Amino acid sequence: MLAYIFKRILLMVPTLLGVLLLTFVVIQFVPGGPVEQYLAEAKAGAAGGGGAEGGGLAYRGAQGVDPQRLAQIKALYGFDKPASERFVQMLGQLARFDLGRSFFQNKDVWQLVLEKLPVSISLGLWTFFISYLVAVPLGVAKAVRAGSRFDLVTTLLVLVGYAIPGFVLGVALLVVFGGQLQWFPLRGLTSSNWEELSWGARTVDYLWHITLPITAMVLGSFAVTAMLTKNAFLEEIRKQYVLTARAKGLSERQVLWKHVFRNALIPIVTGFPAAFIGAFFTGSLLIETLFSLDGLGLLSYESVIRRDYPVVLGTLYLFTLIGLVTKLVSDLCYVWVDPRVKFD
């Protein structure tokens, strides 16, 4: 087991390098780099015409700008160095878990992540717990009533919810419940007067604001868990030990919850780490942007739009590392839940 863990940790290194290298190379050819962003903001229209070539290697849009001033701006953002040198320097910083400093917000990337993390954690926890609290009982009920009208109707509803992208559902919820009916707010996690409210009023206000974004995130995420639970239960119900338990005179409830439930939950339990971490980062970008929630998703979107490369690469490195570690933990959970699994 230790040898397997060691091999997986070693494989994380080339995976991280590959992700960072590919992203860094793409960045070099994206027009409108941070130097142009700065020039456009500092002197509107002065950098018009043309785009960036080589992500800061040759800025045609900077024509007409004093060469000395342009050189100072490039040095400010580190674009006075060759791309290879900047990449190696970036790897050295990331190896020390130094995510760099934002070009435009004048803050360390770590500080920005910690500031935005509470919003993403709030959305992620609600999405995770509501999804599993709905999906697992629903999957069990569908397995027990397999082939019935209840099973067919719920399957149709689940698949329809899964087929609708979260951001499309979010737009529909905003238009209907936020715009036309005006039952829920259009943006933010709290009202402007939240600090003046009592604790009870704050709780109600918070739940009022997160209803629409959580609904948009949950409806698509719990579909896979519900169908996986149903299929796992159906597979276990058909096994020989279930017939033996019934032959011994055990009630259907005892057979279901004492024998089938424990074995059927193995694929569900082993997916907990990935689902738990994924709820914070997966799918939140569009939802946070749509509902103007100041979390990690909105931070990533704004960083890409403004070409804030330290934030883009720093958060990408952090989230990729978290994803790789979570995948390893998920695989190890198989051994913990089912001792029959041997990675050797």
Side-chain angles (χ1 to χ4, degrees):
M1 177 61 68
L2 293 178
Y4 173 78
I5 296 176
F6 183 70
K7 290 179 182 177
R8 288 290 299 271
I9 293 176
L10 289 180
L11 287 174
M12 293 180 186
V13 177
T15 304
L16 278 173
L17 288 176
V19 171
L20 292 173
L21 177 61
L22 180 61
T23 307
F24 186 84
V25 171
V26 171
I27 282 176
Q28 305 311 304
F29 299 97
V30 174
V35 174
E36 285 189 336
Q37 294 273 348
Y38 180 90
L39 293 174
E41 293 178 3
K43 190 176 182 180
E53 179 180 347
L57 299 180
Y59 287 91
R60 292 192 303 269
Q63 292 178 357
V65 180
D66 179 59
Q68 184 178 359
R69 177 60 176 164
L70 181 60
Q72 292 176 349
I73 297 174
K74 286 185 177 182
L76 176 66
Y77 293 119
F79 289 113
D80 56 330
K81 303 174 183 177
S84 58
E85 183 178 345
R86 286 188 278 120
F87 180 70
V88 173
Q89 182 180 357
M90 180 194 70
L91 291 181
Q93 290 179 342
L94 296 180
R96 302 189 303 270
F97 287 94
D98 179 7
L99 303 184
R101 192 172 183 85
S102 170
F103 284 157
F104 299 102
Q105 301 193 48
N106 196 29
K107 292 181 180 180
D108 290 336
V109 177
W110 272 116
Q111 183 180 352
L112 289 174
V113 170
L114 294 177
E115 288 178 357
K116 313 298 182 182
L117 193 58
V119 174
S120 296
I121 288 180
S122 177
L123 295 176
L125 287 177
W126 281 109
T127 302
F128 175 79
F129 286 116
I130 293 177
S131 297
Y132 273 87
L133 288 175
V134 174
V136 174
L138 178 61
V140 174
K142 288 172 62 62
V144 173
R145 300 173 178 83
S148 65
R149 180 177 297 180
F150 171 81
D151 183 31
L152 295 177
V153 172
T154 53
T155 299
L156 178 62
L157 294 176
V158 165
L159 293 180
V160 169
Y162 180 70
I164 301 176
F167 69 93
V168 174
L169 180 60
V171 171
L173 293 174
L174 277 176
V175 171
V176 176
F177 296 101
Q180 297 178 352
L181 300 177
Q182 297 184 356
W183 289 356
F184 297 96
L186 296 176
R187 56 185 301 162
L189 276 184
T190 56
S191 299
S192 57
N193 63 335
W194 191 78
E195 295 291 342
E196 305 172 1
L197 301 176
S198 63
W199 284 105
R202 288 183 181 183
T203 302
V204 173
D205 181 75
Y206 168 73
L207 295 176
W208 182 49
H209 277 77
I210 68 170
T211 299
L212 293 186
I214 293 299
T215 302
M217 294 180 67
V218 165
L219 286 183
S221 62
F222 84 94
V224 175
T225 305
M227 298 306 295
L228 179 61
T229 303
K230 174 193 173 182
N231 294 333
F233 266 79
L234 286 177
E235 183 180 354
E236 293 297 324
I237 288 174
R238 300 188 182 112
K239 290 186 176 179
Q240 185 66 37
Y241 75 88
V242 176
L243 297 177
T244 304
R246 288 171 176 168
K248 289 181 178 180
L250 295 178
S251 65
E252 194 65 25
R253 178 180 292 272
Q254 289 177 317
V255 172
L256 181 63
W257 296 107
K258 288 188 177 181
H259 297 276
V260 176
F261 187 77
R262 180 174 57 184
N263 294 321
L265 278 187
I266 289 178
I268 309 299
V269 172
T270 53
F272 270 8
F276 186 73
I277 298 298
F280 299 145
F281 308 115
T282 306
S284 63
L285 189 152
L286 293 174
I287 297 299
E288 290 182 8
T289 304
L290 181 63
F291 289 92
S292 300
L293 304 176
D294 195 14
L296 294 175
L298 185 60
L299 173 66
S300 301
Y301 172 77
E302 291 178 345
S303 301
V304 171
I305 295 300
R306 299 197 67 183
R307 306 296 191 267
D308 200 346
Y309 295 148
V311 179
V312 173
L313 291 168
T315 54
L316 176 68
Y317 168 76
L318 183 62
F319 298 159
T320 304
L321 183 60
I322 292 175
L324 292 173
V325 173
T326 303
K327 181 61 177 176
L328 175 59
V329 174
S330 298
D331 292 343
L332 296 178
C333 283
Y334 277 100
V335 180
W336 176 63
V337 175
D338 188 358
R340 296 171 297 179
V341 176
K342 301 293 182 182
F343 287 118
D344 295 338

